[in-house]
Amino acid sequence: MTKRPLFALTIFLGAFLLFLVEPLAARQLLPSLGGSSAVWITCLVVFQLLLLFGYSYAHLLTRLRIQRGVHLGLLAAAVLLAFVSTAPESPTAFSHPITTIFLALGSSIGLPFLLLSATSPLLQVWLAKSEGEGVRYRLFALSNVGSLLALLAYPVLIEPHMSLHTQRISWAAGFVVYAALCAMLVPASGSGVVTEEAAQPVARPATGKLVLWFLLPFAASMQLAAVTAHLSQDIAPIPLLWILPLSAYLLSFIVAFEFGQFYQRGLVIRFLVVFLAALAYTLTKEGATFPIWLSISFYLIELFLACYFCHAELYLHRPEDPQQSTMFYLMLSAGGAAGTFFIGIVSPLVFAANYDLAISFFVTAAVAVIALWQGGWAQRLLWATASVLLLFLIGKEYQAFQAGSMAQVRNFYGPLRVTQGAFPPASVLRTLYNGTIKHGTQIFTPDHARVPVSYYSPDSGIGLAMRYCCVGRPKSVGVIGLGSGSLAVYAQPGDRYRFYEINPAVEPIARNLFTYLRDAPIQIPIVAGDARISLQHEAPNNFDILVIDAFSGDAIPLHLITTQALGLYRKHMAPGGIIAFHVSNQYLHLAPEVAALAKTAGLDAVLISTPNDEKKGYYSATWVLLTNRKDFQQETDVVIARSSFPEIKATAWTDDYSSILPLMNWGKR
């Protein structure tokens, strides 16, 4: 009886577990590294490198005499490691985030991930040898189906209904099942004697093929990482948006390797060049805006076309010899790892601003020139011209970005940019951006330099808290999230302020390009690092007001809005203190979640929403104030400004459970 169904089941389960552990492992890193989207991008780099190691292992194992002993021993060790947590313990993890992520993931899921990633190429070789036939690349398509299903299942079916601990244990149990299945398929012939087939020298693939096996996935993975970062930072900071580009990437693998015979090169490259040209042109138009759904759709279509082209060409150049198939997968994973490594690690270190998307477009066109070189002079000319034009557009984008910025810097936590423009009638408005999210503004005139603007107007939730918390005496204020330092505008002589900021690039901008901190009548310290970890190591601060101002984008630092976090905040509060959550967010209803937290702690939650007022420089803002002070809640201004909470059922988050899906604002477009 053929074992082919068992091979297929093991490959599918291995791929499913592989992509299930990715969001799970990344989720466990958030308490030490914040909610930056860079955490996911860096995790993606680690996963691609582990994939490379897995494919390298598969390539080497098929050439060993003791395949069975080695693989069974590693499976046994991996089963034990499958139950290890990925959460780093160091309170200084924020200062070396990339190293922290690499060490945390490598020391916990490293070996299980390596073996899971080796499953598809390894089992394809073992099946080919057992049946005496060629490599079944359809099994690679099947593995990507398993990956895609896991990717879609995690936010919809798993995270909303299972605690983090239960997720981890369930995944480990699934890995035990996988290990048992895999152990049944390890060929006994590899345990001590080299077979006649294995003893024969393996023909080395042509150099041209090796180059294509590397460059095609290199371009595709660059596109994946660059488009993901661009969509989540510069188009729409929508939670879980990273799922869409990754799904398009996996879908391109499935279509290319399952339906390779239907690939129409001419049609695909015509569509691809049009999308590349159109989207590259929009990058040079500083300030141009398009409907969010249209922008997301166009970038996803371009990503799919680019990845489909790369993966379909890869399929056309696949080897039929099982002995060469592991080298094929090895080069494929090397290209994928190199592409994500460039976008996730190299680019933030080299470039002060984010040019990743334009560079990935150029690389795609350049790789197309190489891949289609044998296609005739017309295709060479088309893609050579496209490459030159894209290189020119990169320069144009650089010029446009420089012209609109007075300062820009980029690090692990994302690109920061300060712009300056006119503010009617005769003032200057300076704004700090992180991607598309405004993190503070200041109006520069003698009458406005110390006037609260943006989300912090006098009638906003935090404005009312500052006004009525400590009438007639100095106040003690803690602020999680520095931005431009806007809240320092409320500081008065005798007050005590303390800011917490995880991004080391923010403080120099706040101190040198904005004057809120400089003009304050008191000295204001800024504590570097994740606020929750910092507070855990500090003596009680007796804050009258503690501001949690870190929820305006898609990268929600979940660990700052849990019952355990709220318990920590309360330890640092003075009697009758106010905990102020700034929950202005285009795509999430966070107010009901904060209300649910307040209920578990026996606190009253006061929702205050204020409208936009462009003439005064005020943004629409939503604040939730947690306090049991009845006199504050009965102030006339507070009573008038108070709003009703949206009728959304929310479950209080804990360190072990959270899900943003029920809080999504599906009406926002």
Side-chain angles (χ1 to χ4, degrees):
M1 180 179 177
T2 179
K3 288 186 176 180
R4 193 179 302 175
L6 192 58
F7 274 89
L9 174 62
T10 306
I11 289 175
F12 178 87
L13 179 60
F16 186 86
L17 292 173
L18 188 71
F19 266 71
L20 205 58
V21 78
E22 290 186 7
L24 171 59
R27 168 78 171 76
Q28 291 179 288
L29 293 171
L30 297 183
S32 294
L33 299 170
S36 168
S37 59
V39 174
W40 169 250
I41 297 296
T42 308
C43 286
L44 191 61
V45 175
V46 178
F47 297 144
Q48 288 280 22
L49 288 173
L50 289 174
L51 185 70
L52 172 60
F53 296 153
Y55 283 8
S56 301
Y57 167 73
H59 178 69
L60 295 174
L61 185 66
T62 56
R63 284 151 178 77
L64 293 179
R65 298 183 179 185
I66 51 174
Q67 293 182 39
R68 186 177 183 84
V70 170
H71 200 62
L72 291 179
L74 290 178
L75 281 173
V79 166
L80 298 178
L81 288 174
F83 293 88
V84 176
S85 171
T86 60
E89 298 294 335
S90 173
T92 60
F94 76 95
S95 60
H96 304 286
I98 295 175
T99 303
T100 298
I101 292 174
F102 271 70
L103 291 177
L105 295 180
S107 62
S108 55
I109 67 166
L111 183 57
F113 197 100
L114 183 148
L115 294 178
L116 288 171
S117 61
T119 303
S120 183
L122 197 57
L123 266 62
Q124 286 180 52
V125 172
W126 288 346
L127 179 61
K129 289 183 177 181
S130 67
E131 296 188 345
E133 299 179 11
V135 181
R136 290 175 173 79
Y137 289 99
R138 295 184 68 180
L139 292 176
F140 184 63
L142 177 65
S143 71
N144 282 284
V145 172
S147 300
L148 182 59
L149 289 177
L151 178 68
L152 299 177
Y154 185 81
V156 177
L157 300 177
I158 297 175
E159 189 181 41
H161 304 292
M162 299 174 67
S163 69
L164 204 57
H165 177 73
T166 304
Q167 292 175 36
R168 184 77 202 189
I169 296 300
S170 300
W171 183 87
F175 186 85
V176 171
V177 175
Y178 157 81
L181 291 173
C182 200
M184 296 169 58
L185 300 176
V186 180
S189 59
S191 59
V193 181
V194 181
T195 63
E196 181 179 348
E197 178 186 3
Q200 297 175 355
V202 180
R204 176 181 172 80
T207 302
K209 285 207 168 191
L210 289 174
V211 170
L212 283 177
W213 291 353
F214 177 86
L215 288 180
L216 289 166
F218 174 76
S221 64
M222 278 191 71
Q223 284 258 352
L224 169 64
V227 170
T228 300
H230 183 71
L231 289 181
S232 59
Q233 292 177 359
D234 300 324
I235 298 296
I238 301 175
L240 304 177
L241 185 60
W242 58 269
I243 289 177
L244 297 181
L246 188 53
S247 298
Y249 177 81
L250 292 174
L251 187 61
S252 71
F253 263 125
I254 295 169
V255 176
F257 279 74
E258 177 65 21
F259 307 105
Q261 68 273 24
F262 298 115
Y263 172 52
Q264 298 294 320
R265 173 188 283 173
L267 185 62
V268 171
I269 62 174
R270 283 171 173 79
F271 276 111
L272 178 57
V273 76
V274 170
F275 274 88
L276 277 176
L279 293 178
Y281 178 74
T282 63
L283 294 179
T284 66
K285 299 302 176 183
E286 179 69 16
T289 58
F290 303 94
I292 290 175
W293 68 268
L294 184 64
S295 296
I296 293 176
S297 299
F298 267 71
Y299 278 106
L300 289 177
I301 293 172
E302 186 280 328
L303 174 65
F304 174 78
L305 287 172
C307 293
Y308 178 52
F309 165 75
C310 292
H311 296 151
E313 291 292 325
L314 196 63
Y315 181 78
L316 290 179
H317 293 87
R318 70 196 185 280
E320 295 297 338
D321 184 356
Q323 293 292 93
Q324 290 188 1
S325 67
T326 54
M327 175 60 75
F328 171 74
Y329 286 116
L330 177 59
M331 296 303 294
L332 185 159
S333 63
T340 54
F341 188 85
F342 179 86
I343 297 297
I345 306 297
V346 176
S347 187
L349 297 176
V350 174
F351 303 111
N354 191 343
Y355 307 114
D356 298 348
L357 196 63
I359 293 173
S360 72
F361 285 175
F362 166 72
V363 169
T364 300
V367 169
V369 174
I370 299 172
L372 302 175
W373 192 255
Q374 303 299 326
W377 69 268
Q379 290 186 3
R380 295 181 203 170
L381 180 61
L382 171 68
W383 285 101
T385 303
S387 300
V388 172
L389 288 176
L390 286 168
L391 190 59
F392 172 75
L393 289 173
I394 291 174
K396 292 284 289 182
E397 183 191 15
Y398 174 79
Q399 292 179 350
F401 209 84
Q402 290 292 109
S405 305
M406 63 178 300
Q408 53 190 4
V409 65
R410 187 182 182 194
N411 62 10
F412 172 83
Y413 296 100
L416 297 173
R417 183 186 184 200
V418 179
T419 63
Q420 182 168 289
F423 185 80
S427 304
V428 171
L429 179 68
R430 194 170 290 177
T431 305
L432 170 62
Y433 288 90
N434 187 332
T436 58
I437 300 298
K438 296 177 181 178
H439 280 243
T441 63
Q442 187 171 12
I443 301 172
F444 281 84
T445 62
D447 296 334
H448 286 84
R450 292 251 323 143
V451 172
V453 291
S454 65
Y455 307 104
Y456 315 103
S457 70
D459 294 325
S460 67
I462 191 59
L464 295 175
M466 292 287 188
R467 189 187 313 169
Y468 294 115
C469 84
C470 312
V471 179
R473 64 175 178 85
K475 56 185 176 293
S476 176
V477 179
V479 183
I480 298 175
L482 174 60
S484 62
S486 300
L487 283 174
V489 76
Y490 286 103
Q492 299 295 326
D495 288 350
R496 184 172 64 89
Y497 271 62
R498 190 175 183 84
F499 280 89
Y500 299 84
E501 176 56 52
I502 194 172
N503 187 344
V506 174
E507 181 177 352
I509 292 176
R511 291 197 181 277
N512 299 319
L513 297 180
F514 297 86
T515 67
Y516 292 120
L517 295 174
R518 264 184 285 158
D519 293 342
I522 58 173
Q523 291 295 316
I524 300 178
I526 298 173
V527 181
D530 180 78
R532 181 167 165 181
I533 294 178
S534 298
L535 289 171
Q536 286 173 346
H537 291 82
E538 292 178 356
N541 283 285
N542 292 314
F543 291 129
D544 295 302
I545 301 176
L546 178 60
V547 183
I548 297 88
D549 187 13
F551 306 113
S552 58
D554 70 315
I556 303 298
L558 301 176
H559 67 295
L560 296 181
I561 190 171
T562 66
T563 56
Q564 289 82 2
L566 182 58
L568 177 63
Y569 302 154
R570 297 186 72 187
K571 291 180 181 179
H572 286 271
M573 302 303 296
I578 300 172
I579 304 175
F581 285 85
H582 181 201
V583 295
S584 303
N585 195 290
Q586 297 182 80
Y587 305 101
L588 283 178
H589 293 292
L590 288 173
E593 179 57 39
V594 178
L597 287 178
K599 186 176 181 180
T600 63
L603 295 172
D604 295 328
V606 179
L607 175 64
I608 297 178
S609 297
T610 49
N612 190 63
D613 189 338
E614 294 183 0
K615 293 182 178 180
K616 295 182 179 180
Y618 300 162
Y619 301 153
S620 59
T622 304
W623 290 83
V624 181
L625 310 179
L626 272 53
T627 182
N628 281 336
R629 279 187 54 183
K630 301 302 180 183
D631 61 327
F632 171 79
Q633 298 180 49
Q634 293 168 2
E635 290 285 350
T636 302
D637 291 337
V638 176
V639 173
I640 294 174
R642 190 167 187 167
S643 303
S644 300
F645 283 90
E647 294 183 1
I648 296 175
K649 184 178 180 181
T651 302
W653 291 344
T654 68
D655 287 348
D656 198 42
Y657 169 80
S658 62
S659 175
I660 63 175
L661 201 62
L663 305 180
M664 288 288 291
N665 182 4
W666 300 107
K668 186 68 181 177
R669 293 292 182 266

